[in-house]
């Protein structure tokens, strides 16, 4: 009898610890853009946290103890997928002892798997660099694809937390209206960019190019994920001239030297563009991201 | 994946009636008509496309070869879509020693059979084949087969073969099968992810290089923002530091461990661990190279308790640059008797000992692909030993000496390494160690090593 009491007590204690009675859904986002999108759709009913910031390279993250502890308590996991997080996410999932966010559960959502992907390789060979069998994972730079992910997110949140399904639907509707208006505005402003070419450092801009009707002239990385080499840069100076592209685009966290070097040699300006939202910027960060992207590109196009 | 399979099945099913029913002349007529209709429709579409191409006269330069062609969402279904992730690790080295590596010992320590140095010259240290997959929604399975040379023949060893639960509630998880025990930090890591070309002296002395055994592990992860993991292992205790023919239902070795980890600010993180492994080995034989021709056997019966404290600190200001500090301290208490036997007779050596050791290492990644590391190892022991019932024909002093438990010299070693990784999948390493494990002159040890991974991307374990 006494033993029974002790067991009950332990059980209650464990239950208490696990459900620390927070009404909010805990969401583990791998990248800040998904954190912002979840906040847009989930509103006050979610507590979203991002494992990486704009400064991090989501390919190379350590499966740190703190990340495991965070995932342990998550109700929903939202990542890019398409093998972007393949170096650390599988390990987190196995270590977090959390059945709710395992693949196949409603609590497991890979954004890139919800949309049409580009650059799906026809040949899988590691000598081609850091290739992703499921296509280019950097889908966050196309606002149309983001909207699709927002819709799926609303469905998932409703499935996990049916009590607030109406809230999620309302949030989605409100976000959708604002987003569509914004996208129309961006697309109109970006009209002069149509048909223009860019030299890029890494291949993460493809969805933005696809959206804006632009194209990639060349990449500074000889192969995706491999650092720009002197030989490859030299070959680019042979192939490209001043009019070959509008700009050399790199992300703030890229090594600045290769783009600078090429710019000095062929006379194309370097343009630093953000590729995700700032940490904890919330839904406003998503609007700010595309405002900035379009603003910088259009300003440069006007100067030419 | 599910969707693609369904689409594939649906397409196959739809296609079936058409091909299967084409036997009768009547059906042939229908088929011909359908084909004609198809042809007409294609011609119309091609015409439309040609018109569109003429209209859109702004082609991107084709010579540059970077097209962004949309491709269907679903990958092609295939029979091996459900095959496990396969990775093959190729490792090889060329080693050079000033002193004889075959006669390498650690005074004060009876080592496991796997302990020792790599052979001199070229060697394929180990080829590891790992297969892993989710079995179903309850279990994840993984197995690592190690292929290596033992006395001139190739041996396949099941290094690990375990199942992990995926769906236990309340932060619990269970592992069953054969796995590396959570003793210290490095023991659970496969040699290809080690930062140095060889094991620390502590692993050589206390764990037979690496301690893996058959059993079960239960872990619980606390629902807190600080990482707190508690775990217990029941292990058969057949391998060093266990030993003997253990037939107890729940095994002979017990291991308890706790791990605590946290971030410190944005760029730093730390993990501290404590573990305690205890067992009662019977007939635990040491792989002492002095056991002349295998005729002389030292085997231990008694109690063994091994406590380990480990610490890992990482400073990572950017994704490819950073510094890792790692250290482990081991403390072992043993109490029992060593049975000596040779061709003539035997002896009993009552033995009680305390052995300790640590290593500390720092690895610095300054350039994205280059790393340098420095490691210091040290071991010391306090063993009490006597000789009783000696019928072996050897003097007591000789037996004490050959037991290798008289630690009148404390082994230590300095190691320096540098490695280069072209990608996440390849690494080439050069290492130099100044080894004072044995009394007398220092041993200069050079190693040039490669580690290559084929297939699935291994996860970066913290």
């Amino acid at each position: 009898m006494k033993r029974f009491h002790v067991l009950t007590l332990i059980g209650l204690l464990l239950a208490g610890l696990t459900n620390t009675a927070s009404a909010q859904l805990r969401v583990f986002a791998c990248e800040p853009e998904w954190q912002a999108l979840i906040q847009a759709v989930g509103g006050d009913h979610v507590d979203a946290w991002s494992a990486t910031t704009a400064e991090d390279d989501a390919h190379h993250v350590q499966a740190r103890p703190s990340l495991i502890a965070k995932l342990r308590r998550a109700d929903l996991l939202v990542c890019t997928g398409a093998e972007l997080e393949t170096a650390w996410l599988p390990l987190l999932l196995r270590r977090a002892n959390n059945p709710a966010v395992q693949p196949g559960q409603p609590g497991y959502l890979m954004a890139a798997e919800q949309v049409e992907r580009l650059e799906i390789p026809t040949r899988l060979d590691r000598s081609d660099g850091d290739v992703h069998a499921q296509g280019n994972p950097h889908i966050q730079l196309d606002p149309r694809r983001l909207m699709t992910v927002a819709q799926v997110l609303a469905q998932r949140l409703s499935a996990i937390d049916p009590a607030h399904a109406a809230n999620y639907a309302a949030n989605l509707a409100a976000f959708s209206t604002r987003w569509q208006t914004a996208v129309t505005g961006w697309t109109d402003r970006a009209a002069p960019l149509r048909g223009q070419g860019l030299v890029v450092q890494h291949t993460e801009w493809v969805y933005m190019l696809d959206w804006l009707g632009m194209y990639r002239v060349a990449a500074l990385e000889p192969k995706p994920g491999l650092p720009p080499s002197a030989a490859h840069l030299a070959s680019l100076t042979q192939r490209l001239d001043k009019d070959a592209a509008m700009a050399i685009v790199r992300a703030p966290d890229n090594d600045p030297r290769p783009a600078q070097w090429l710019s000095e040699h062929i006379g194309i300006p370097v343009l630093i563009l953000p590729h995700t939202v700032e940490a904890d910027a919330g839904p406003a960060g998503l609007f700010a991201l595309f405002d900035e992207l379009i603003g910088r590109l259009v300003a440069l196009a006007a100067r030419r | 994946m599910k969707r693609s399979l369904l689409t594939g099945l649906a397409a196959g099913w739809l296609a079936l009636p058409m091909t299967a029913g084409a036997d009768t002349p009547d059906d042939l007529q229908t088929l011909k008509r359908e084909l004609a209709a198809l042809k007409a429709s294609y011609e119309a579409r091609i015409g439309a496309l040609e018109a569109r191409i003429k209209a859109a006269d702004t082609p991107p330069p084709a010579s540059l070869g970077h097209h962004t062609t949309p491709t269907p969402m679903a990958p092609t279904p295939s029979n091996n879509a459900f095959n496990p992730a396969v990775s093959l690790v190729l490792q090889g080295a060329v080693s050079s020693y000033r002193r004889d590596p075959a006669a390498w010992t650690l005074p004060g320590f009876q080592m496991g059979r796997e302990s020792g140095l790599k052979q001199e010259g070229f060697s394929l240290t180990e080829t590891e084949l790992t297969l892993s997959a989710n079995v179903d929604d309850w279990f994840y399975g993984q197995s690592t087969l190690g292929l290596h040379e033992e006395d001139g023949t190739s041996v396949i060893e099941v290094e690990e073969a375990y199942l992990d639960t995926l769906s236990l509630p309340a932060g619990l998880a269970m592992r069953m099968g054969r796995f590396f025990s959570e003793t210290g930090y490095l023991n659970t890591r496969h040699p290809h992810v080690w930062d140095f070309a060889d094991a620390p002296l502590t692993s050589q002395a206390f764990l037979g290089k690496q301690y893996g055994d058959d059993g079960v592990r239960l872990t619980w992860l606390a629902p807190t923002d600080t990482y707190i993991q508690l775990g217990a292992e029941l292990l058969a205790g057949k391998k060093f530091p266990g030993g003997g023919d253990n037939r107890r239902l729940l095994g002979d070795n017990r291991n308890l461990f706790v791990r605590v980890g946290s971030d410190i600010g944005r760029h730093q993180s730390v993990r501290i661990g404590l573990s305690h492994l205890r067992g009662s080995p019977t007939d635990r034989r040491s792989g002492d190279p002095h056991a002349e021709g295998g005729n002389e056997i030292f085997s231990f019966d008694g109690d063994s308790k091994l406590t380990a404290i480990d610490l890992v600190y990482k400073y990572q200001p950017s994704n490819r640059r950073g510094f890792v500090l790692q250290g482990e301290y081991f403390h072992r208490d043993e109490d029992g008797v060593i049975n000596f036997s040779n061709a003539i007779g035997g002896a009993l050596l009552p033995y009680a000992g305390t052995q300790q050791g640590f290593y500390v290492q720092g690895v610095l990644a300054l350039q994205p692909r280059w790393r340098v590391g420095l490691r210091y190892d040290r071991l010391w022991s306090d063993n009490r030993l006597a000789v009783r019932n000696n019928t072996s024909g050897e003097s007591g002093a000789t037996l004490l000496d050959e037991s290798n438990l008289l630690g009148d010299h404390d082994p230590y070693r300095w190691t320096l390494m540098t490695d280069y990784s072209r990608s996440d999948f390849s690494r080439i390493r050069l290492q130099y160690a100044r080894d004072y494990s044995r009394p007398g002159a220092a041993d200069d040890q050079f190693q040039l090593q490669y580690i290559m991974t084929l297939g699935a991307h291994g996860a970066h374990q913290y």
Side-chain angles (χ1 to χ4, degrees):
Chain A
M1 197 60 198
K2 194 172 178 188
R3 186 161 191 176
F4 175 75
H5 280 305
V6 173
L7 281 177
T8 323
L9 205 72
I10 292 173
L12 281 174
L13 204 77
L14 280 178
L17 273 173
T18 40
N19 299 324
T20 7
S22 118
Q24 290 179 314
L25 282 186
R26 286 202 184 84
V27 186
F28 182 108
C30 287
E31 289 85 21
E33 61 267 19
W34 309 129
Q35 180 194 17
L37 202 60
I38 294 151
Q39 287 166 340
V41 179
D44 298 336
H45 299 291
V46 298
D47 174 15
W49 179 85
S50 174
T52 59
T53 69
E55 293 167 46
D56 295 319
D57 176 357
H59 293 94
H60 299 100
V61 172
Q62 293 259 347
R64 300 194 306 277
S66 61
L67 299 185
I68 298 171
K70 275 283 185 195
L71 190 58
R72 152 77 167 87
R73 292 199 288 168
D75 301 301
L76 172 63
L77 166 76
V78 183
C79 295
T80 300
E83 294 165 22
L84 179 67
E85 300 95 352
T86 191
W88 51 284
L89 188 59
L91 196 71
L92 282 190
L93 281 166
R94 287 214 310 280
R95 291 296 187 85
N97 298 6
N98 183 350
V101 296
Q102 296 298 324
Q105 299 296 323
Y108 175 90
L109 177 60
M110 295 294 119
E113 287 168 18
Q114 314 305 321
V115 299
E116 183 189 60
R117 289 179 303 280
L118 303 175
E119 296 185 331
I120 296 178
T122 48
R123 183 180 101 112
L124 285 177
D125 191 320
R126 291 252 161 79
S127 64
D128 294 338
D130 186 13
V131 291
H132 296 274
Q134 292 179 285
N136 191 313
H138 306 286
I139 59 150
Q140 80 277 10
L141 291 176
D142 179 354
R144 302 165 305 176
R145 285 178 165 89
L146 269 185
M147 194 59 232
T148 311
V149 177
Q151 285 158 356
V152 180
L153 261 176
Q155 287 167 14
R156 288 299 178 88
L157 288 172
S158 308
I160 298 168
D161 179 22
H164 296 112
N167 301 78
Y168 300 133
N171 290 345
L172 177 70
F175 176 74
S176 178
T177 314
R178 280 185 64 202
W179 193 248
Q180 302 297 2
T181 316
V183 173
T184 312
W186 293 322
T187 316
D188 289 347
R189 279 171 70 198
L193 302 174
R194 191 157 282 277
Q196 298 268 18
L198 292 177
V199 176
V200 300
Q201 181 139 352
H202 182 58
T203 57
E204 64 200 308
W205 310 99
V206 58
Y207 293 95
M208 183 188 78
L209 301 178
D210 179 57
W211 167 46
L212 297 176
M214 302 175 77
Y215 67 96
R216 182 166 72 210
V217 175
L220 299 190
E221 291 180 346
K223 282 163 183 170
L226 292 183
S229 64
H232 179 66
L233 290 178
S235 81
L236 288 180
T237 59
Q238 307 266 306
R239 259 174 48 194
L240 305 175
D241 60 21
K242 198 161 66 61
D243 302 317
M246 199 179 100
I248 303 168
V249 171
R250 71 166 177 90
D253 56 318
N254 289 151
D255 182 355
R257 289 168 300 178
Q260 195 56 44
W261 186 89
L262 189 68
S263 172
E264 282 161 14
H265 280 76
I266 58 173
I268 300 176
V270 175
L271 189 62
I272 302 170
L273 291 181
H275 60 99
T276 184
V277 301
E278 293 298 317
D280 300 318
L286 285 170
F287 290 90
L289 168 68
F290 287 98
D291 276 338
E292 190 167 346
L293 278 177
I294 300 300
R296 290 201 191 176
L297 281 166
V298 170
L300 188 76
R303 256 189 281 146
R304 274 166 67 86
Chain B
M1 188 62 65
K2 257 183 200 154
R3 179 179 298 185
S4 73
L5 208 76
L6 277 177
T7 325
L9 282 175
W13 185 73
L14 282 173
L16 262 176
M18 246 173 99
T19 40
D23 306 343
T24 59
D26 214 25
D27 285 339
L28 268 175
Q29 285 299 322
T30 332
L31 218 93
K32 274 184 187 163
R33 251 181 284 130
E34 278 174 359
L35 270 175
L38 260 174
K39 202 179 153 200
S41 117
Y42 272 125
E43 275 169 355
R45 276 197 237 170
I46 287 168
L49 269 173
E50 278 172 346
R52 278 175 64 186
I53 286 169
K54 268 184 198 155
D57 204 19
T58 49
S63 61
L64 297 165
H66 285 297
H67 287 294
T68 56
T69 38
T71 345
M73 274 168 70
T76 21
S78 79
N79 276 337
N80 48 12
F82 285 107
N83 275 357
V86 180
S87 85
L88 182 71
V89 181
L90 302 177
Q91 300 179 85
V94 54
S95 317
S96 147
Y97 304 95
R98 181 197 285 264
R99 297 178 64 177
D100 179 13
W104 186 78
T105 60
L106 293 171
F109 297 83
Q110 286 198 326
M111 293 186 290
R113 299 195 154 202
E114 303 278 327
S115 294
L117 300 180
K118 285 193 191 91
Q119 69 181 73
E120 191 138 31
F122 290 108
S123 60
L124 263 189
T125 44
E126 186 150 84
T127 308
E128 281 178 10
L129 179 66
T130 302
L131 293 109
S132 66
N134 286 343
V135 179
D136 52 27
D137 56 339
W138 274 22
F139 299 106
Y140 163 89
Q142 177 170 331
S143 177
T144 300
L145 304 175
L147 292 88
H148 54 102
E149 298 263 307
E150 226 165 69
D151 307 322
T153 51
S154 289
V155 183
I156 298 182
E157 191 191 355
V158 181
E159 288 184 5
E160 287 196 297
Y162 60 77
L163 294 171
D164 277 345
T165 60
L166 294 170
S167 296
L168 289 189
L172 293 166
M174 210 165 119
R175 173 173 292 189
M176 59 215 101
R178 176 174 299 177
F179 50 86
F180 292 128
S181 167
E182 284 270 7
T183 307
Y185 174 79
L186 200 63
N187 192 58
T188 53
R189 275 125 189 103
H190 284 271
H192 69 266
V193 299
W194 293 355
D195 292 322
F196 289 82
D198 48 16
L201 294 185
T202 48
S203 299
Q204 296 265 23
F206 296 108
L207 299 167
K209 220 176 218 172
Q210 197 162 18
Y211 173 49
D213 210 337
D214 302 349
V216 291
R217 170 195 297 167
L218 185 70
T219 55
W220 179 68
L221 195 58
T224 49
D225 271 354
T226 306
Y227 174 84
I228 303 169
Q229 188 197 39
L230 304 177
E233 292 171 338
L234 300 176
L235 301 156
K238 285 178 196 158
K239 294 188 184 161
F240 191 93
D245 182 21
N246 286 303
R247 292 182 189 164
R248 288 172 59 179
L249 177 62
L250 294 175
D252 186 55
N253 275 3
R254 308 267 177 279
N255 186 37
L256 295 172
F257 59 93
V258 55
R259 315 264 179 242
V260 178
S262 178
D263 285 351
I264 310 166
R266 267 252 320 124
H267 300 303
Q268 300 168 78
S269 57
V270 69
R271 202 199 85 167
I272 300 165
L274 173 69
S275 67
H276 182 72
L277 172 75
R278 61 166 66 201
S280 306
T282 50
D283 192 20
R284 184 185 78 197
R285 300 190 181 188
S286 59
D288 193 331
H290 293 315
E292 290 142 20
N295 281 332
E296 296 193 335
I297 295 166
F298 289 92
S299 97
F300 170 74
D301 288 351
D303 296 323
S304 179
K305 295 172 213 156
L306 180 64
T307 307
I309 299 169
D310 58 83
L311 178 132
V312 183
Y313 161 86
K314 298 194 182 189
Y315 170 61
Q316 220 180 0
S318 79
N319 281 294
R320 286 176 180 272
R321 293 179 176 83
F323 174 71
V324 180
L325 180 75
Q326 172 185 326
E328 290 180 72
Y329 162 79
F330 286 83
H331 179 284
R332 179 163 69 185
D333 254 326
E334 287 194 317
D335 199 349
V337 63
I338 289 167
N339 300 291
F340 173 78
S341 62
N342 62 6
I344 301 164
L348 286 179
L349 289 77
Y351 146 67
T354 304
Q355 295 135 20
Q356 298 171 74
F358 75 92
Y359 76 90
V360 58
Q361 68 180 48
V363 176
L364 183 67
L366 270 180
Q367 292 284 324
R369 277 156 208 283
W370 285 95
R371 307 190 309 161
V372 287
L374 180 68
R375 177 178 68 185
Y376 177 71
D377 297 85
R378 190 171 190 95
L379 303 172
W380 63 98
S381 59
D382 178 15
N383 302 325
R384 273 167 292 130
L385 206 62
V387 180
R388 303 270 153 77
N389 308 347
N390 188 357
T391 60
S392 67
E394 297 199 36
S395 76
T398 312
L399 285 185
L400 288 178
D401 188 41
E402 288 184 349
S403 75
N404 207 36
L405 282 166
L406 297 181
D408 41 12
H409 168 81
D410 293 342
Y412 68 100
R413 178 175 70 178
W414 286 97
T415 314
L416 191 65
M417 78 88 194
T418 180
D419 60 27
Y420 175 80
S421 301
R422 171 70 184 161
S423 65
D424 284 357
F425 305 94
S426 73
R427 176 162 285 167
I428 295 167
R429 175 181 292 141
L430 180 66
Q431 176 173 314
Y432 165 70
R434 195 156 175 84
D435 182 20
Y436 295 90
S437 291
R438 290 168 278 183
D443 188 12
D444 291 313
Q445 306 173 339
F446 289 92
Q447 292 192 55
L448 181 62
Q449 186 197 22
Y450 66 80
I451 305 166
M452 307 279 155
T453 310
L454 283 65
H457 193 302
H460 302 296
Q461 202 173 348
Y462 184 85

